[in-house]
Amino acid sequence: MSYDLVVIGTGPGGYVCAIRAAQLGLRTAVVEKRATHGGTCLNVGCIPSKALLHASEAFEDAGKHFADLGVIVGSPKLDLAKMMAFKDEGVAGNTKGVEFLLKKNKVDAFHGTARIAGAGRVEVISEDGGNRIIETRNIVIATGSDVAKLPGVTIDERIVVSSTGALALGQVPKKLVVIGAGVIGLELGSVWRRLGAEVTVVEYLDRVLPGMDGEVGKQFQRILEKQGIVFRLSSKVTGVDVGKKGAAVSVEPAAGGESETIQADVVLVAIGRTPYTEGLGLETVGVQTDSKGRIQTDSHYATNVTGIYAIGDVIAGPMLAHKAEDEGVAVAEILAGQSGHLNYGVIPNVVYTFPEVASVGRTEEELKKDGVAYNAGKFPFTANGRAKVNHTTDGFVKILADAKTDRVLGVHIVGADAGNLIAELAVAMEFGASAEDVARTCHAHPTLTEAVKEAALAVSKRAIHV
Ligand code: FAD
Ligand code: NAI
């Protein structure tokens, strides 16, 4: 069998790349070692976590907020097995959807572990040990990432879990210790807190969500604390002793000092993810990786070996599904002779807690560090009519615009539906819009988007509602 392109891995990067390549007339195949398509994102990442965030938010709303609206439902009961079935149904619907799309676009799908056997040769080893060789002009590696391990801590997916185990717990832990105040820790910490767990988050750095705008991080931490999450910042976990019923987590100040023990029923390790290249045979063909194990590519996603490309979590850049997807499209277009491209300055980043956190572009810290003069316009949701009536007044919109040109350089939002609100700013930034452009665009009333318009007005100190 001979193809123009074989894509290894059918996560958001791989399956989107294959479909785009097929649309452009390339004879395309994919190889996936999981039983289902969709990669980390659809199987054990974005989709199941959002299903549990949605369901647990509904549970909390029913218990804590419905009565304020005059909706009396009594004390809601949790049927965790049913909630997990709801999540699994969502995952199955999505993974089957990818299978359908691959078929519809006439992409051949092989199940098994791919190993690059040489230039233009991919060996597929199936679960029963059988193997076959597929020949191809080009290979795109889209093998994604895996959970980063904490030295000395064994993940058993029962008491010490990764995100995968935390998405499938059989009962609500009384005490959950989360290691890492990043995206996974805060999203899944929120899920289990809403369902009744006491959640303590231990974070090495002195802030939550490192990399995001500092003001956003501070306000978001306060909001989560109000919700009941306890933070132990500037602290490191030095060991986890697993017993019959739970674990004793040893924590000490990051700078060193006395150690103390926190008891937990479940410990979630969420300290990042690492690129996944195991068994691919990169060393056989000489594909170069960097010090973090990421496959090195040029601006066209080409590795140092002719005909081998890489995209998604396995290369540098934010580990986000939409970044992987857009790289998939770009590399397919490049392979078809077009000029595929992705603007890395405008990749939105969303944390799907309540409220949500969303950002695009540069943070205030980055602008200060780079010596860029900017104006900041900020508008709180307490002053937005729709947020007021919905009782979702936590948070704000902050727009950072170039002091000279007024061009939007970054936007940071904490608030209900921030993940949807950020989209208009990503479009604005793609088109090189100024804060004035956003401010002069008519936004529907009453919507949360008016807070975006007001923040844009605030850049030139003329917000109306504050
Ligand atoms: P992956 O999705 O990891 O897919 C790689 C695929 O390659 C896998 O299916 C794997 O089985 C397969 N594979 C690996 N090696 C081989 C081989 N040798 N042969 C055959 N197949 C192979 N991102 C967001 O943007 N939004 C979110 O809300 C979000 N939530 C997340 C929640 C969690 C809990 C986690 C863990 C991640 C989340 N992410 C989210 C990150 C997102 O899942 C990744 O950025 C995205 O999946 C990366 O896509 P990818 O195609 O590069 O790799
Ligand atoms: P992360 O990089 O977001 O956060 C890891 C956190 O752990 C950091 O705050 C880090 O300082 C801390 N940490 C590292 N070592 C530590 C230690 N020894 N002790 C205590 N704290 C320590 O990684 P996370 O949350 O595991 O997520 C992995 C990736 O998955 C992210 O890169 C993210 O892009 C992606 N993801 C995206 C989501 C989204 O877009 N909504 C949701 C979930 C994951």
Side-chain angles (χ1 to χ4, degrees):
M1 252 163 295
S2 179
Y3 291 92
D4 295 318
L5 171 64
V6 169
V7 183
I8 305 178
T10 56
Y15 86 75
V16 169
C17 173
I19 290 173
R20 184 71 188 121
Q23 283 176 346
L24 292 167
L26 301 185
R27 189 163 149 65
T28 306
V30 292
V31 186
E32 173 54 58
K33 68 178 190 176
R34 267 199 177 87
T36 49
H37 296 297
T40 304
C41 180
L42 273 60
N43 290 282
V44 290
C46 328
I47 294 298
S49 60
K50 266 78 256 180
L52 289 186
L53 279 157
H54 177 68
S56 61
E57 194 179 325
F59 179 71
E60 182 159 79
D61 280 347
K64 289 196 181 153
H65 306 304
F66 276 14
D68 295 346
L69 317 178
V71 181
I72 310 301
V73 292
S75 194
K77 281 203 199 80
L78 174 66
D79 181 344
L80 187 59
K82 178 92 195 196
M83 196 179 277
M84 290 294 169
F86 160 78
K87 172 209 68 176
D88 293 340
E89 196 189 310
V91 168
N94 276 280
T95 57
K96 281 193 193 116
V98 172
E99 190 179 330
F100 165 79
L101 289 173
L102 290 171
K103 273 197 193 124
K104 182 182 160 209
N105 286 281
K106 301 193 171 37
V107 173
D108 289 344
F110 296 92
H111 278 281
T113 303
R115 191 182 71 88
I116 303 175
R121 286 163 61 81
V122 176
E123 180 183 17
V124 183
I125 304 148
S126 54
E127 235 173 43
D128 61 13
N131 69 331
R132 70 199 304 171
I133 294 277
I134 322 175
E135 306 220 329
T136 176
R137 279 200 300 126
N138 295 296
I139 297 168
V140 169
I141 301 170
T143 49
S145 61
D146 195 8
V147 177
K149 314 276 179 334
L150 189 58
V153 176
T154 309
I155 292 175
D156 58 19
E157 298 297 12
R158 206 175 52 86
I159 289 175
V160 183
V161 298
S162 69
S163 52
T164 304
L167 288 167
L169 296 179
Q171 59 188 51
V172 180
K174 202 167 163 324
K175 291 181 184 216
L176 171 69
V177 167
V178 177
I179 310 177
V183 200
I184 291 182
L186 300 186
E187 285 189 353
L188 296 183
S190 290
V191 165
W192 292 107
R193 182 204 56 75
R194 291 168 187 168
L195 300 181
E198 282 171 38
V199 178
T200 303
V201 180
V202 182
E203 164 61 45
Y204 189 81
L205 300 175
D206 60 358
R207 55 161 298 173
V208 306
L209 296 180
M212 280 218 171
D213 189 85
E215 195 179 7
V216 162
K218 268 197 202 119
Q219 170 138 172
F220 185 51
Q221 183 189 333
R222 276 201 295 271
I223 293 171
L224 293 182
E225 279 170 344
K226 265 202 290 176
Q227 294 175 358
I229 293 184
V230 173
F231 287 96
R232 301 289 300 267
L233 302 183
S234 306
S235 301
K236 63 181 174 204
V237 169
T238 51
V240 178
D241 272 335
V242 176
K244 268 196 192 130
K245 282 200 172 148
V249 183
S250 304
V251 179
E252 64 176 53
E258 235 169 79
S259 177
E260 62 174 296
T261 304
I262 311 179
Q263 235 15 78
D265 301 293
V266 172
V267 180
L268 164 60
V269 181
I271 58 163
R273 295 181 61 85
T274 51
Y276 184 77
T277 56
E278 215 178 283
L280 259 183
L282 293 188
E283 43 315 314
T284 326
V285 276
V287 169
Q288 270 166 10
T289 54
D290 66 14
S291 60
K292 292 183 174 163
R294 301 176 296 199
I295 295 179
Q296 280 183 320
T297 55
D298 66 12
S299 59
H300 284 173
Y301 309 102
T303 69
N304 59 309
V305 178
T306 308
I308 303 183
Y309 299 76
I311 56 165
D313 279 11
V314 81
I315 68 169
M319 288 185 168
L320 295 172
H322 39 284
K323 176 257 193 190
E325 288 181 39
D326 287 1
E327 287 179 343
V329 169
V331 75
E333 291 178 349
I334 289 166
L335 290 173
Q338 300 187 351
S339 348
H341 175 74
L342 170 58
N343 180 359
Y344 287 92
V346 186
I347 296 183
N349 196 354
V350 180
V351 186
Y352 298 87
T353 42
F354 191 87
E356 292 183 345
V357 179
S359 78
V360 63
R362 292 152 85 185
T363 62
E364 279 202 65
E365 290 75 17
E366 284 167 346
L367 294 174
K368 279 182 188 145
K369 191 167 140 262
D370 296 344
V372 178
Y374 64 92
N375 292 320
K378 207 173 134 187
F379 189 82
F381 282 105
T382 42
N384 173 273
R386 186 68 180 277
K388 261 196 163 103
V389 76
N390 286 354
H391 287 197
T392 57
T393 49
D394 274 340
F396 59 85
V397 178
K398 179 165 76 174
I399 296 184
L400 308 173
D402 190 286
K404 265 204 211 118
T405 64
D406 195 38
R407 187 179 177 138
V408 178
L409 302 174
V411 183
H412 308 280
I413 308 177
V414 182
D417 224 13
N420 285 321
L421 295 179
I422 204 74
E424 75 160 288
L425 285 320
V427 173
M429 284 179 70
E430 266 306 334
F431 281 79
S434 61
E436 187 68 20
D437 290 326
V438 178
R440 288 198 179 268
T441 302
C442 191
H443 286 68
H445 176 77
T447 63
L448 299 176
T449 68
E450 288 171 288
V452 170
K453 177 184 169 125
E454 291 269 9
L457 284 166
V459 168
S460 49
K461 303 197 174 20
R462 54 186 225 272
I464 302 289
H465 292 91
V466 274

Short mmCIF file of all heavy atoms in Angstrom, two decimals, residues 8-14 31-34 36 38-41 43-46 49-50 112-115 142-145 163 167 184 187-188 273 276 278-280 311-314 319-322 324 350 352, ligand 1:
data_model
loop_
_atom_site.label_atom_id
_atom_site.label_comp_id
_atom_site.label_asym_id
_atom_site.label_seq_id
_atom_site.Cartn_x
_atom_site.Cartn_y
_atom_site.Cartn_z
N ILE A 8 0.56 9.73 11.99
CA ILE A 8 0.64 8.84 13.16
C ILE A 8 -0.03 9.52 14.35
O ILE A 8 0.44 10.55 14.83
CB ILE A 8 2.11 8.49 13.50
CG1 ILE A 8 2.80 7.90 12.26
CG2 ILE A 8 2.16 7.53 14.69
CD1 ILE A 8 4.27 7.58 12.47
N GLY A 9 -1.14 8.95 14.80
CA GLY A 9 -1.90 9.53 15.91
C GLY A 9 -3.13 10.26 15.39
O GLY A 9 -3.02 11.08 14.47
N THR A 10 -4.30 9.94 15.98
CA THR A 10 -5.53 10.63 15.54
C THR A 10 -6.14 11.47 16.64
O THR A 10 -7.35 11.46 16.89
CB THR A 10 -6.58 9.64 14.99
OG1 THR A 10 -6.85 8.66 16.02
CG2 THR A 10 -6.12 8.97 13.73
N GLY A 11 -5.29 12.22 17.35
CA GLY A 11 -5.78 13.26 18.26
C GLY A 11 -6.22 14.43 17.40
O GLY A 11 -6.25 14.34 16.16
N PRO A 12 -6.55 15.57 18.03
CA PRO A 12 -7.01 16.74 17.26
C PRO A 12 -6.01 17.17 16.18
O PRO A 12 -6.42 17.64 15.11
CB PRO A 12 -7.16 17.83 18.30
CG PRO A 12 -7.04 17.19 19.62
CD PRO A 12 -6.53 15.81 19.47
N GLY A 13 -4.73 17.02 16.45
CA GLY A 13 -3.72 17.37 15.44
C GLY A 13 -3.80 16.40 14.26
O GLY A 13 -3.96 16.80 13.10
N GLY A 14 -3.72 15.11 14.55
CA GLY A 14 -3.61 14.09 13.52
C GLY A 14 -4.86 13.93 12.67
O GLY A 14 -4.78 13.91 11.44
N VAL A 31 -2.67 6.14 11.46
CA VAL A 31 -2.42 4.98 12.31
C VAL A 31 -2.69 5.42 13.74
O VAL A 31 -2.17 6.45 14.18
CB VAL A 31 -0.96 4.49 12.22
CG1 VAL A 31 -0.79 3.19 13.00
CG2 VAL A 31 -0.51 4.33 10.78
N GLU A 32 -3.51 4.65 14.45
CA GLU A 32 -3.84 5.01 15.84
C GLU A 32 -3.76 3.77 16.71
O GLU A 32 -4.30 2.73 16.37
CB GLU A 32 -5.25 5.62 15.90
CG GLU A 32 -5.78 5.86 17.30
CD GLU A 32 -4.87 6.70 18.19
OE1 GLU A 32 -4.54 7.84 17.83
OE2 GLU A 32 -4.47 6.19 19.28
N LYS A 33 -3.08 3.93 17.84
CA LYS A 33 -2.92 2.75 18.70
C LYS A 33 -4.07 2.55 19.69
O LYS A 33 -4.27 1.45 20.19
CB LYS A 33 -1.57 2.74 19.39
CG LYS A 33 -1.36 3.79 20.43
CD LYS A 33 0.03 3.57 21.01
CE LYS A 33 0.25 4.41 22.23
NZ LYS A 33 1.53 4.15 22.85
N ARG A 34 -4.79 3.62 19.97
CA ARG A 34 -5.99 3.47 20.82
C ARG A 34 -7.09 2.78 20.01
O ARG A 34 -7.11 2.87 18.78
CB ARG A 34 -6.55 4.85 21.17
CG ARG A 34 -6.08 5.41 22.45
CD ARG A 34 -7.04 6.52 22.91
NE ARG A 34 -6.60 7.01 24.19
CZ ARG A 34 -5.71 7.97 24.33
NH1 ARG A 34 -5.20 8.56 23.26
NH2 ARG A 34 -5.32 8.35 25.54
N THR A 36 -10.08 3.84 19.90
CA THR A 36 -10.93 4.89 19.34
C THR A 36 -10.07 6.07 18.89
O THR A 36 -8.98 6.29 19.40
CB THR A 36 -11.94 5.40 20.40
OG1 THR A 36 -11.21 5.69 21.60
CG2 THR A 36 -13.00 4.37 20.69
N GLY A 38 -9.42 10.31 18.19
CA GLY A 38 -9.66 11.53 18.97
C GLY A 38 -8.57 11.86 19.98
O GLY A 38 -8.55 12.94 20.55
N GLY A 39 -7.66 10.90 20.21
CA GLY A 39 -6.49 11.18 21.04
C GLY A 39 -6.82 11.48 22.49
O GLY A 39 -7.89 11.14 23.00
N THR A 40 -5.86 12.14 23.15
CA THR A 40 -6.02 12.52 24.55
C THR A 40 -7.28 13.38 24.69
O THR A 40 -8.09 13.17 25.60
CB THR A 40 -4.80 13.36 24.99
OG1 THR A 40 -3.63 12.61 24.76
CG2 THR A 40 -4.88 13.76 26.45
N CYS A 41 -7.42 14.35 23.79
CA CYS A 41 -8.48 15.35 23.91
C CYS A 41 -9.87 14.71 24.02
O CYS A 41 -10.61 14.98 24.96
CB CYS A 41 -8.40 16.29 22.72
SG CYS A 41 -9.64 17.57 22.75
N ASN A 43 -10.69 11.38 24.26
CA ASN A 43 -10.83 10.19 25.11
C ASN A 43 -10.64 10.46 26.60
O ASN A 43 -11.43 10.01 27.41
CB ASN A 43 -9.82 9.12 24.66
CG ASN A 43 -10.20 8.53 23.31
OD1 ASN A 43 -11.10 7.70 23.24
ND2 ASN A 43 -9.52 8.95 22.25
N VAL A 44 -9.57 11.20 26.94
CA VAL A 44 -9.25 11.38 28.37
C VAL A 44 -8.84 12.82 28.70
O VAL A 44 -8.11 13.06 29.64
CB VAL A 44 -8.11 10.41 28.81
CG1 VAL A 44 -8.58 8.97 28.85
CG2 VAL A 44 -6.87 10.56 27.92
N GLY A 45 -9.30 13.77 27.89
CA GLY A 45 -8.84 15.15 28.09
C GLY A 45 -9.98 16.14 28.03
O GLY A 45 -10.89 16.14 28.87
N CYS A 46 -9.94 16.98 26.97
CA CYS A 46 -10.90 18.09 26.84
C CYS A 46 -12.35 17.65 27.02
O CYS A 46 -13.09 18.25 27.81
CB CYS A 46 -10.81 18.73 25.45
SG CYS A 46 -9.20 18.71 24.66
N SER A 49 -13.42 15.95 30.51
CA SER A 49 -13.30 16.93 31.60
C SER A 49 -14.41 17.98 31.49
O SER A 49 -14.99 18.39 32.50
CB SER A 49 -11.92 17.58 31.64
OG SER A 49 -11.63 18.25 30.44
N LYS A 50 -14.73 18.38 30.25
CA LYS A 50 -15.80 19.38 30.11
C LYS A 50 -17.17 18.78 30.43
O LYS A 50 -18.04 19.47 30.96
CB LYS A 50 -15.79 19.98 28.70
CG LYS A 50 -14.98 21.26 28.61
CD LYS A 50 -13.49 21.07 28.56
CE LYS A 50 -12.72 21.34 29.79
NZ LYS A 50 -11.27 21.13 29.64
N GLY A 112 -3.16 0.20 15.47
CA GLY A 112 -1.93 -0.44 15.91
C GLY A 112 -0.91 0.63 16.25
O GLY A 112 -1.17 1.83 16.09
N THR A 113 0.25 0.20 16.75
CA THR A 113 1.29 1.15 17.11
C THR A 113 2.21 1.35 15.91
O THR A 113 2.70 0.38 15.33
CB THR A 113 2.10 0.62 18.31
OG1 THR A 113 1.20 0.39 19.39
CG2 THR A 113 3.18 1.60 18.74
N ALA A 114 2.41 2.62 15.56
CA ALA A 114 3.25 2.90 14.39
C ALA A 114 4.70 3.07 14.80
O ALA A 114 5.00 3.66 15.85
CB ALA A 114 2.76 4.18 13.71
N ARG A 115 5.59 2.53 13.98
CA ARG A 115 7.01 2.74 14.17
C ARG A 115 7.57 3.15 12.82
O ARG A 115 7.22 2.55 11.79
CB ARG A 115 7.68 1.44 14.64
CG ARG A 115 9.11 1.61 15.12
CD ARG A 115 9.70 0.26 15.51
NE ARG A 115 9.94 -0.57 14.32
CZ ARG A 115 11.06 -0.54 13.61
NH1 ARG A 115 12.07 0.25 13.95
NH2 ARG A 115 11.19 -1.32 12.55
N ALA A 142 1.97 12.89 15.00
CA ALA A 142 1.03 13.66 15.84
C ALA A 142 0.70 12.79 17.04
O ALA A 142 -0.47 12.49 17.32
CB ALA A 142 -0.22 13.99 15.03
N THR A 143 1.76 12.37 17.74
CA THR A 143 1.59 11.38 18.81
C THR A 143 1.29 11.99 20.18
O THR A 143 1.15 11.25 21.16
CB THR A 143 2.84 10.47 18.89
OG1 THR A 143 4.00 11.32 18.91
CG2 THR A 143 2.92 9.53 17.71
N GLY A 144 1.24 13.32 20.26
CA GLY A 144 0.73 13.96 21.47
C GLY A 144 1.64 13.93 22.67
O GLY A 144 2.88 13.99 22.55
N SER A 145 1.01 13.83 23.84
CA SER A 145 1.77 13.95 25.09
C SER A 145 1.26 12.96 26.13
O SER A 145 0.21 12.34 25.95
CB SER A 145 1.63 15.37 25.62
OG SER A 145 0.27 15.64 25.90
N SER A 163 -4.76 12.84 35.50
CA SER A 163 -6.07 13.36 35.05
C SER A 163 -6.95 12.21 34.58
O SER A 163 -8.17 12.23 34.81
CB SER A 163 -5.88 14.39 33.94
OG SER A 163 -5.08 13.87 32.91
N LEU A 167 -10.73 11.48 36.13
CA LEU A 167 -11.96 11.59 35.31
C LEU A 167 -12.84 10.37 35.48
O LEU A 167 -13.88 10.27 34.83
CB LEU A 167 -11.58 11.74 33.83
CG LEU A 167 -10.96 13.08 33.42
CD1 LEU A 167 -10.34 12.98 32.04
CD2 LEU A 167 -12.02 14.17 33.45
N ILE A 184 -5.20 21.62 34.65
CA ILE A 184 -5.83 20.36 35.02
C ILE A 184 -6.19 20.37 36.51
O ILE A 184 -7.30 20.02 36.91
CB ILE A 184 -4.90 19.16 34.70
CG1 ILE A 184 -4.79 19.00 33.19
CG2 ILE A 184 -5.42 17.87 35.35
CD1 ILE A 184 -3.94 17.84 32.72
N GLU A 187 -9.25 22.71 37.01
CA GLU A 187 -10.51 22.22 36.42
C GLU A 187 -11.01 20.98 37.19
O GLU A 187 -12.16 20.93 37.62
CB GLU A 187 -10.31 21.85 34.94
CG GLU A 187 -10.20 23.08 34.03
CD GLU A 187 -10.21 22.76 32.54
OE1 GLU A 187 -10.17 21.56 32.14
OE2 GLU A 187 -10.23 23.71 31.75
N LEU A 188 -10.12 20.00 37.35
CA LEU A 188 -10.59 18.76 38.00
C LEU A 188 -10.76 18.95 39.51
O LEU A 188 -11.62 18.33 40.13
CB LEU A 188 -9.66 17.59 37.66
CG LEU A 188 -9.65 17.26 36.15
CD1 LEU A 188 -8.78 16.05 35.86
CD2 LEU A 188 -11.07 17.00 35.65
N ARG A 273 2.53 18.02 31.25
CA ARG A 273 2.56 16.87 30.35
C ARG A 273 3.86 16.90 29.55
O ARG A 273 4.46 17.95 29.36
CB ARG A 273 1.34 16.88 29.42
CG ARG A 273 0.03 16.71 30.19
CD ARG A 273 -1.18 16.69 29.29
NE ARG A 273 -1.19 15.62 28.32
CZ ARG A 273 -1.62 14.39 28.55
NH1 ARG A 273 -2.08 14.05 29.75
NH2 ARG A 273 -1.60 13.48 27.59
N TYR A 276 5.10 12.75 23.76
CA TYR A 276 5.08 11.29 23.73
C TYR A 276 5.66 10.76 22.41
O TYR A 276 5.07 10.96 21.34
CB TYR A 276 3.63 10.81 23.89
CG TYR A 276 3.54 9.31 23.98
CD1 TYR A 276 3.87 8.64 25.16
CD2 TYR A 276 3.14 8.55 22.88
CE1 TYR A 276 3.80 7.26 25.24
CE2 TYR A 276 3.07 7.17 22.95
CZ TYR A 276 3.40 6.54 24.13
OH TYR A 276 3.34 5.17 24.21
N GLU A 278 7.41 7.48 22.56
CA GLU A 278 7.84 6.12 22.86
C GLU A 278 7.53 5.15 21.71
O GLU A 278 6.42 5.17 21.17
CB GLU A 278 7.10 5.66 24.11
CG GLU A 278 7.90 4.77 25.02
CD GLU A 278 7.07 4.44 26.25
OE1 GLU A 278 6.96 5.32 27.12
OE2 GLU A 278 6.52 3.34 26.27
N GLY A 279 8.48 4.33 21.37
CA GLY A 279 8.24 3.27 20.39
C GLY A 279 8.13 3.73 18.95
O GLY A 279 7.91 2.92 18.04
N LEU A 280 8.32 5.03 18.71
CA LEU A 280 8.17 5.55 17.34
C LEU A 280 9.37 5.24 16.46
O LEU A 280 9.29 5.33 15.24
CB LEU A 280 8.03 7.08 17.41
CG LEU A 280 6.67 7.71 17.28
CD1 LEU A 280 6.81 9.22 17.29
CD2 LEU A 280 5.96 7.26 16.01
N ILE A 311 3.59 17.71 14.51
CA ILE A 311 2.64 18.77 14.95
C ILE A 311 2.07 18.43 16.34
O ILE A 311 2.19 17.31 16.80
CB ILE A 311 1.45 18.89 13.97
CG1 ILE A 311 0.74 17.52 13.82
CG2 ILE A 311 1.87 19.43 12.62
CD1 ILE A 311 -0.64 17.61 13.19
N GLY A 312 1.44 19.42 16.94
CA GLY A 312 0.66 19.19 18.17
C GLY A 312 1.51 19.17 19.43
O GLY A 312 2.58 19.78 19.51
N ASP A 313 1.03 18.43 20.43
CA ASP A 313 1.69 18.40 21.74
C ASP A 313 3.12 17.87 21.67
O ASP A 313 3.91 18.12 22.57
CB ASP A 313 0.92 17.48 22.71
CG ASP A 313 -0.29 18.17 23.34
OD1 ASP A 313 -0.67 19.26 22.89
OD2 ASP A 313 -0.86 17.59 24.29
N VAL A 314 3.43 17.11 20.62
CA VAL A 314 4.76 16.48 20.55
C VAL A 314 5.83 17.48 20.09
O VAL A 314 7.02 17.17 20.13
CB VAL A 314 4.68 15.22 19.64
CG1 VAL A 314 4.74 15.57 18.15
CG2 VAL A 314 5.76 14.20 20.00
N MET A 319 0.31 23.28 24.80
CA MET A 319 -0.31 21.95 24.58
C MET A 319 -1.81 22.13 24.59
O MET A 319 -2.48 21.91 25.61
CB MET A 319 0.16 20.99 25.66
CG MET A 319 1.60 20.59 25.50
SD MET A 319 2.07 19.35 26.70
CE MET A 319 3.64 18.81 26.07
N LEU A 320 -2.35 22.57 23.46
CA LEU A 320 -3.78 22.84 23.35
C LEU A 320 -4.33 22.17 22.10
O LEU A 320 -3.65 22.13 21.06
CB LEU A 320 -4.03 24.35 23.27
CG LEU A 320 -3.64 25.14 24.52
CD1 LEU A 320 -3.73 26.63 24.26
CD2 LEU A 320 -4.52 24.75 25.70
N ALA A 321 -5.55 21.69 22.20
CA ALA A 321 -6.16 20.97 21.09
C ALA A 321 -6.27 21.85 19.85
O ALA A 321 -5.98 21.40 18.73
CB ALA A 321 -7.54 20.47 21.51
N HIS A 322 -6.70 23.11 20.03
CA HIS A 322 -6.91 23.97 18.85
C HIS A 322 -5.59 24.35 18.20
O HIS A 322 -5.53 24.56 16.98
CB HIS A 322 -7.75 25.20 19.20
CG HIS A 322 -7.42 25.82 20.52
ND1 HIS A 322 -7.83 25.26 21.70
CD2 HIS A 322 -6.72 26.92 20.86
CE1 HIS A 322 -7.42 26.01 22.72
NE2 HIS A 322 -6.72 27.02 22.21
N ALA A 324 -3.03 22.25 18.09
CA ALA A 324 -2.70 21.03 17.35
C ALA A 324 -3.51 20.95 16.05
O ALA A 324 -2.97 20.64 14.98
CB ALA A 324 -2.98 19.80 18.23
N VAL A 350 -8.05 28.86 27.46
CA VAL A 350 -9.26 28.94 28.30
C VAL A 350 -9.20 27.91 29.43
O VAL A 350 -8.82 26.77 29.20
CB VAL A 350 -10.53 28.67 27.45
CG1 VAL A 350 -11.80 28.75 28.31
CG2 VAL A 350 -10.63 29.65 26.29
N TYR A 352 -11.75 26.07 31.97
CA TYR A 352 -13.21 25.91 31.95
C TYR A 352 -13.82 25.68 33.34
O TYR A 352 -14.64 24.80 33.53
CB TYR A 352 -13.59 24.78 31.00
CG TYR A 352 -13.18 25.07 29.58
CD1 TYR A 352 -11.92 24.74 29.13
CD2 TYR A 352 -14.05 25.70 28.69
CE1 TYR A 352 -11.53 25.03 27.82
CE2 TYR A 352 -13.68 25.99 27.40
CZ TYR A 352 -12.41 25.66 26.97
OH TYR A 352 -12.02 25.95 25.69
P1 FAD B 1 -3.14 13.67 21.33
O1 FAD B 1 -4.52 14.16 21.47
O2 FAD B 1 -2.42 13.27 22.55
O3 FAD B 1 -3.22 12.42 20.35
C1 FAD B 1 -2.12 11.64 20.06
C2 FAD B 1 -2.61 10.27 19.61
O4 FAD B 1 -1.48 9.56 19.09
C3 FAD B 1 -3.16 9.42 20.73
O5 FAD B 1 -4.45 8.97 20.39
C4 FAD B 1 -2.18 8.25 20.85
O6 FAD B 1 -2.82 7.03 21.17
C5 FAD B 1 -1.61 8.19 19.44
N1 FAD B 1 -0.28 7.60 19.38
C6 FAD B 1 0.81 7.90 20.12
N2 FAD B 1 1.87 7.16 19.71
C7 FAD B 1 1.44 6.39 18.70
C8 FAD B 1 2.06 5.43 17.86
N3 FAD B 1 3.35 5.13 17.97
N4 FAD B 1 1.30 4.80 16.93
C9 FAD B 1 -0.03 5.10 16.79
N5 FAD B 1 -0.65 6.01 17.54
C10 FAD B 1 0.06 6.65 18.47
N6 FAD B 1 -6.74 21.25 25.36
C11 FAD B 1 -7.61 22.23 24.99
O7 FAD B 1 -7.34 22.94 24.02
N7 FAD B 1 -8.77 22.43 25.66
C12 FAD B 1 -9.11 21.68 26.73
O8 FAD B 1 -10.17 21.88 27.31
C13 FAD B 1 -8.22 20.66 27.16
N8 FAD B 1 -8.52 19.89 28.21
C14 FAD B 1 -7.66 18.90 28.58
C15 FAD B 1 -7.98 18.14 29.70
C16 FAD B 1 -7.13 17.13 30.12
C17 FAD B 1 -7.49 16.31 31.32
C18 FAD B 1 -5.95 16.87 29.38
C19 FAD B 1 -5.04 15.75 29.79
C20 FAD B 1 -5.62 17.63 28.27
C21 FAD B 1 -6.46 18.66 27.87
N9 FAD B 1 -6.17 19.47 26.78
C22 FAD B 1 -7.03 20.47 26.42
C23 FAD B 1 -4.95 19.28 25.98
C24 FAD B 1 -5.29 18.51 24.70
O9 FAD B 1 -5.86 17.27 25.06
C25 FAD B 1 -4.03 18.30 23.88
O10 FAD B 1 -3.41 19.53 23.65
C26 FAD B 1 -4.38 17.66 22.54
O11 FAD B 1 -5.01 16.42 22.73
C27 FAD B 1 -3.11 17.46 21.70
O12 FAD B 1 -3.47 16.88 20.50
P2 FAD B 1 -2.45 15.99 19.68
O13 FAD B 1 -3.17 15.61 18.44
O14 FAD B 1 -1.14 16.65 19.56
O15 FAD B 1 -2.19 14.68 20.57
#
